[in-house]
Short mmCIF file of all heavy atoms in Angstrom, two decimals:
data_model
loop_
_atom_site.label_atom_id
_atom_site.label_comp_id
_atom_site.label_asym_id
_atom_site.label_seq_id
_atom_site.Cartn_x
_atom_site.Cartn_y
_atom_site.Cartn_z
N SER A 118 13.56 18.25 8.86
CA SER A 118 14.76 17.88 9.62
C SER A 118 15.68 17.12 8.67
O SER A 118 15.22 16.55 7.68
CB SER A 118 14.40 17.00 10.81
OG SER A 118 14.00 15.75 10.37
N GLU A 119 16.96 17.15 8.94
CA GLU A 119 17.92 16.38 8.13
C GLU A 119 19.16 16.12 8.94
O GLU A 119 19.54 16.95 9.76
CB GLU A 119 18.24 17.10 6.82
CG GLU A 119 18.73 18.53 6.92
CD GLU A 119 20.24 18.67 7.02
OE1 GLU A 119 20.96 17.67 6.84
OE2 GLU A 119 20.70 19.78 7.32
N TYR A 120 19.75 14.94 8.79
CA TYR A 120 21.03 14.63 9.43
C TYR A 120 21.66 13.45 8.72
O TYR A 120 21.00 12.75 7.95
CB TYR A 120 20.85 14.36 10.93
CG TYR A 120 20.04 13.12 11.26
CD1 TYR A 120 20.67 11.90 11.55
CD2 TYR A 120 18.65 13.15 11.27
CE1 TYR A 120 19.93 10.77 11.85
CE2 TYR A 120 17.91 12.02 11.57
CZ TYR A 120 18.55 10.83 11.86
OH TYR A 120 17.82 9.71 12.14
N THR A 121 22.94 13.26 9.00
CA THR A 121 23.64 12.13 8.39
C THR A 121 23.96 11.12 9.49
O THR A 121 24.32 11.51 10.60
CB THR A 121 24.95 12.62 7.74
OG1 THR A 121 24.59 13.59 6.77
CG2 THR A 121 25.69 11.49 7.06
N SER A 122 23.77 9.83 9.18
CA SER A 122 24.02 8.80 10.19
C SER A 122 24.97 7.74 9.65
O SER A 122 24.94 7.42 8.46
CB SER A 122 22.68 8.15 10.58
OG SER A 122 22.94 7.03 11.38
N ASP A 123 25.83 7.22 10.52
CA ASP A 123 26.71 6.13 10.08
C ASP A 123 26.25 4.80 10.68
O ASP A 123 26.91 3.79 10.56
CB ASP A 123 28.17 6.42 10.46
CG ASP A 123 28.35 6.64 11.94
OD1 ASP A 123 27.34 6.52 12.68
OD2 ASP A 123 29.48 6.92 12.38
N GLU A 124 25.07 4.83 11.35
CA GLU A 124 24.53 3.61 11.96
C GLU A 124 23.35 3.12 11.15
O GLU A 124 22.24 3.65 11.29
CB GLU A 124 24.00 3.97 13.35
CG GLU A 124 24.73 3.34 14.48
CD GLU A 124 24.13 3.77 15.79
OE1 GLU A 124 23.00 3.35 16.08
OE2 GLU A 124 24.77 4.57 16.48
N THR A 125 23.56 2.16 10.28
CA THR A 125 22.44 1.66 9.48
C THR A 125 22.50 0.13 9.41
O THR A 125 23.58 -0.45 9.53
CB THR A 125 22.48 2.20 8.03
OG1 THR A 125 23.43 1.44 7.30
CG2 THR A 125 22.82 3.67 7.93
N PRO A 126 21.36 -0.51 9.22
CA PRO A 126 21.36 -1.98 9.11
C PRO A 126 21.52 -2.44 7.66
O PRO A 126 21.20 -3.58 7.34
CB PRO A 126 19.97 -2.35 9.65
CG PRO A 126 19.12 -1.19 9.28
CD PRO A 126 20.00 0.04 9.18
N MET A 127 22.03 -1.57 6.77
CA MET A 127 22.05 -1.90 5.34
C MET A 127 22.88 -3.14 5.02
O MET A 127 22.54 -3.91 4.13
CB MET A 127 22.53 -0.69 4.52
CG MET A 127 21.53 0.43 4.46
SD MET A 127 19.93 -0.05 3.78
CE MET A 127 20.33 -0.16 2.06
N SER A 128 24.00 -3.36 5.78
CA SER A 128 24.82 -4.55 5.50
C SER A 128 24.01 -5.81 5.81
O SER A 128 24.07 -6.80 5.06
CB SER A 128 26.10 -4.54 6.34
OG SER A 128 26.78 -3.36 6.06
N THR A 129 23.23 -5.79 6.91
CA THR A 129 22.40 -6.95 7.25
C THR A 129 21.36 -7.18 6.17
O THR A 129 21.09 -8.31 5.77
CB THR A 129 21.69 -6.70 8.60
OG1 THR A 129 22.62 -6.18 9.52
CG2 THR A 129 21.05 -7.96 9.15
N TYR A 130 20.74 -6.08 5.69
CA TYR A 130 19.72 -6.21 4.64
C TYR A 130 20.34 -6.75 3.35
O TYR A 130 19.73 -7.55 2.64
CB TYR A 130 19.03 -4.86 4.37
CG TYR A 130 18.23 -4.32 5.54
CD1 TYR A 130 17.73 -3.02 5.54
CD2 TYR A 130 17.95 -5.11 6.67
CE1 TYR A 130 16.98 -2.52 6.61
CE2 TYR A 130 17.22 -4.62 7.74
CZ TYR A 130 16.74 -3.33 7.70
OH TYR A 130 16.02 -2.85 8.76
N LEU A 131 21.58 -6.32 3.07
CA LEU A 131 22.25 -6.82 1.87
C LEU A 131 22.53 -8.32 2.01
O LEU A 131 22.36 -9.09 1.07
CB LEU A 131 23.55 -6.05 1.61
CG LEU A 131 24.30 -6.47 0.35
CD1 LEU A 131 23.50 -6.15 -0.90
CD2 LEU A 131 25.67 -5.78 0.25
N ASN A 132 22.92 -8.74 3.24
CA ASN A 132 23.16 -10.17 3.48
C ASN A 132 21.89 -10.97 3.26
O ASN A 132 21.93 -12.07 2.70
CB ASN A 132 23.65 -10.41 4.92
CG ASN A 132 25.11 -10.01 5.06
OD1 ASN A 132 25.82 -9.94 4.05
ND2 ASN A 132 25.54 -9.72 6.27
N LEU A 133 20.76 -10.41 3.70
CA LEU A 133 19.49 -11.11 3.48
C LEU A 133 19.22 -11.23 1.98
O LEU A 133 18.82 -12.30 1.50
CB LEU A 133 18.35 -10.33 4.17
CG LEU A 133 16.93 -10.83 3.90
CD1 LEU A 133 16.75 -12.28 4.37
CD2 LEU A 133 15.89 -9.94 4.61
N HIS A 134 19.49 -10.15 1.25
CA HIS A 134 19.29 -10.20 -0.21
C HIS A 134 20.18 -11.28 -0.83
O HIS A 134 19.73 -12.05 -1.70
CB HIS A 134 19.58 -8.83 -0.83
CG HIS A 134 19.78 -8.91 -2.31
ND1 HIS A 134 18.74 -9.14 -3.19
CD2 HIS A 134 20.91 -8.86 -3.08
CE1 HIS A 134 19.21 -9.21 -4.41
NE2 HIS A 134 20.52 -9.04 -4.38
#
Side-chain angles (χ1 to χ4, degrees):
S118 71
E119 54 91 9
Y120 65 97
T121 302
S122 171
D123 57 2
E124 245 180 70
T125 79
M127 289 302 285
S128 303
T129 314
Y130 295 170
L131 182 65
N132 284 339
L133 173 60
H134 163 73

